[in-house]
Amino acid sequence: MEAGGSCSGRVGGAEAAEEYQVMSEVHLGCPPGFSGLHVSRFTFSSRPLGPCGVCDGDGSSKSELVAATSGSCGLPDAVAVDEDGDLVLDRRKRKKDVRSDYHVLTIQHGVTSSLKSVGLQVWKAALLLTDFVLHKSFTSSDFDGVTAIEIGAGTGLVGLIQARVARRIFITDRGVDILDNCLANVRLNSSMLKFDKANFCVRELDWKMSWPPPVGTCDPSDPSLRYFWSASEIEEAEKATILFAADVIYSDDLTDLFFDTVKKLMSSGAKKVLYLALEKRYNFSLDELDVVANGYAHFRSFFTVQYECGHRDGTSKPGFVGKQIDLAEIPQYIREYERGKDLELWRIMYTLDQKQQ
C-alpha cells in the first residue's frame, strides 16, 4: 500500500484533503478529531497470547497511542492518551510484572487517510503477517539470514520485524512521503528491535513501472533522488528468496499491477516465495444485488489453488500457485488487534512450468 507522512503531520496536501477519508479499525482508539501523525506502540514477546487471542494475563488489548509532535523524526516528545483522549499517567510497575522477553514495536502513522494514501495507516493484515514472521523467527530458522523484500510496505511494519533476523531487507513503496515515513520507522525501531540499520534498504518501487525499477544515483539530500536504486541493489534484490505483502488487495487495477510486478520479480534471480496477507472487503453490487467481495474474487483469479492433498483447481491463470495457510497454526503475538474472520494468509509461488510444485 501507499503510505505517507512527515514530521509536519501533513496528510497528502489539498487534493487529498478533499477526498473521502478512511480509517483502519486498528486506530479506533485514537482521540476523536485528532489530526496529524500518531505513534502507536505494539507489544509482543516470544510467548504467544492466550486462547482469548487478545490478552496475556493482564487483560489488556489496547494500543498505546501517542500524539507525535512536529520538528523531529525520531522519538517525539509526546503524551500518552487513552481511547477517550484522557491522559495516561506513567505508573511504576512492580518488578514481577516486567517480562524479560517483552518487546515494543513503535510505528509512526496517520489516523485517517484518503484512499490514495491508505498506507499511512496500520491495517489488520499487516499485523497478521507480522505475527507470522514472529512465529517463524521464534520457532524455526527459515527466515534467518535471508534477503527479503516487502512490497507495498506502507509503514514498513512487516519489514521491521523481519529485519531482526534477515541478512538484508528491502522496504519498497511509492512516493517520497511514504518512504520518508518508512525510514522514520526504521530509525524509531533499530535500537529497540536490535537490528542494524545498514541491513535495511528503503527504495521506491512503482508497480506501474514494474520490475526492474529505474537505476539512478541515490542522493539522501535530494527528495527526488533519495530512494533511487543502484544496479548492485537490483542485483541483490533479485537474489531475495522471500517476498512479503500485506493489504495490497483493494483495487482491481492495482491488483493487476501488483501481480505483473511480482511475476517479473519472481522470474528473476533466485527462486522466491511470496507471503501475502489480506482482509476481504465487502461492497454492495448492483449487478448481483448482494454484498460481495469482488476485489477478493479478482485476486483469486491470478493463481491456481494448491490444496493439502496436492490437488490443484484448474480455473486460474498459469504460473502462480497459491496455498492458504491455516491461521489456527499461527499464534497471535501482537496484542493490539483482533483478527476477525475475514483475514487470510497465502503462500504463493511462481513457476514457468505448471507441473512444478
Side-chain angles (χ1 to χ4, degrees):
M1 282 189 172
E2 294 181 22
S6 68
C7 295
S8 65
R10 182 166 55 87
V11 187
E15 182 180 350
E18 295 174 0
E19 295 181 2
Y20 179 75
Q21 297 290 298
V22 295
M23 182 180 189
S24 167
E25 289 184 11
V26 177
H27 305 318
L28 290 179
C30 291
F34 195 97
S35 60
L37 293 176
H38 277 251
V39 171
S40 290
R41 295 190 174 104
F42 298 93
T43 55
F44 67 92
S45 77
S46 60
R47 290 178 286 176
L49 304 184
C52 63
V54 295
C55 63
D56 65 348
D58 64 0
S60 175
S61 64
K62 297 179 181 179
S63 171
E64 181 183 352
L65 300 164
V66 181
T69 61
S70 61
S72 171
C73 276
L75 281 170
D77 295 328
V79 291
V81 294
D82 62 21
E83 61 183 355
D84 298 318
D86 298 322
L87 289 175
V88 176
L89 299 178
D90 186 17
R91 291 183 170 84
R92 182 177 300 174
K93 295 183 178 181
R94 297 179 182 177
K95 289 185 178 180
K96 68 178 183 180
D97 293 331
V98 178
R99 295 166 60 163
S100 60
D101 61 347
Y102 179 86
H103 302 282
V104 177
L105 178 62
T106 305
I107 298 295
Q108 178 174 281
H109 62 88
V111 177
T112 64
S113 69
S114 68
L115 292 174
K116 291 182 179 180
S117 301
V118 288
L120 275 168
Q121 304 179 58
V122 178
W123 299 85
K124 282 186 177 183
L127 292 168
L128 169 63
L129 189 53
T130 299
D131 270 337
F132 175 72
V133 174
L134 284 170
H135 186 59
K136 282 286 189 180
S137 70
F138 292 145
T139 61
S140 76
S141 59
D142 292 353
F143 289 176
D144 292 3
V146 303
T147 297
I149 307 173
E150 186 178 4
I151 304 173
T155 61
L157 177 68
V158 178
L160 290 168
I161 290 297
Q162 174 60 21
R164 297 166 62 248
V165 296
R167 186 187 74 83
R168 183 77 153 161
I169 177 74
F170 289 88
I171 298 296
T172 70
D173 213 311
R174 184 177 72 88
V176 173
D177 285 351
I178 301 165
L179 298 168
D180 280 351
N181 194 59
C182 284
L183 193 57
N185 283 327
V186 172
R187 293 167 178 163
L188 283 169
N189 288 277
S190 60
S191 296
M192 180 63 70
L193 297 182
K194 296 181 174 59
F195 62 77
D196 187 347
K197 287 187 287 186
N199 297 336
F200 223 102
C201 191
V202 179
R203 290 293 179 262
E204 182 161 50
L205 181 58
D206 187 342
W207 303 346
K208 292 181 180 179
M209 303 181 72
S210 194
W211 184 269
V215 174
T217 301
C218 178
D219 182 356
S221 66
D222 186 341
S224 64
L225 303 176
R226 191 175 297 160
Y227 301 109
F228 268 49
W229 294 76
S230 68
S232 62
E233 287 170 346
I234 290 176
E235 182 178 355
E236 184 180 10
E238 289 184 345
K239 295 178 182 178
T241 55
I242 297 181
L243 309 178
F244 296 111
D247 278 307
V248 295
I249 306 301
Y250 58 96
S251 159
D252 287 357
D253 291 341
L254 286 177
T255 300
D256 293 342
L257 294 171
F258 171 79
F259 273 100
D260 180 63
T261 297
V262 169
K263 177 180 177 180
K264 292 179 180 178
L265 182 54
M266 296 182 83
S267 301
S268 305
K271 186 176 181 179
K272 300 171 178 63
V273 58
L274 166 66
Y275 292 100
L276 185 149
L278 62 91
E279 182 176 6
K280 289 192 287 186
R281 292 181 170 87
Y282 296 88
N283 296 288
F284 183 80
S285 170
L286 290 175
D287 293 334
E288 296 159 14
L289 296 178
D290 198 1
V291 176
V292 295
N294 284 327
Y296 177 77
H298 188 65
F299 158 73
R300 287 288 297 268
S301 73
F302 275 90
F303 58 88
T304 299
V305 176
Q306 179 178 341
Y307 299 98
E308 289 295 335
C309 62
H311 169 72
R312 299 178 181 181
D313 67 34
T315 61
S316 305
K317 297 180 180 180
F320 289 106
V321 178
K323 182 177 181 180
Q324 189 171 358
I325 297 173
D326 185 358
L327 298 189
E329 299 176 358
I330 311 301
Q332 186 168 340
Y333 297 88
I334 300 288
R335 293 170 51 181
E336 289 81 10
Y337 81 111
E338 296 182 19
R339 286 186 178 176
K341 63 180 181 180
D342 293 320
L343 288 174
E344 292 186 359
L345 179 60
W346 288 84
R347 181 182 187 272
I348 299 175
M349 303 285 291
Y350 179 80
T351 59
L352 296 176
D353 183 356
Q354 277 289 88
K355 294 181 181 180
Q356 296 180 25
Q357 294 293 327

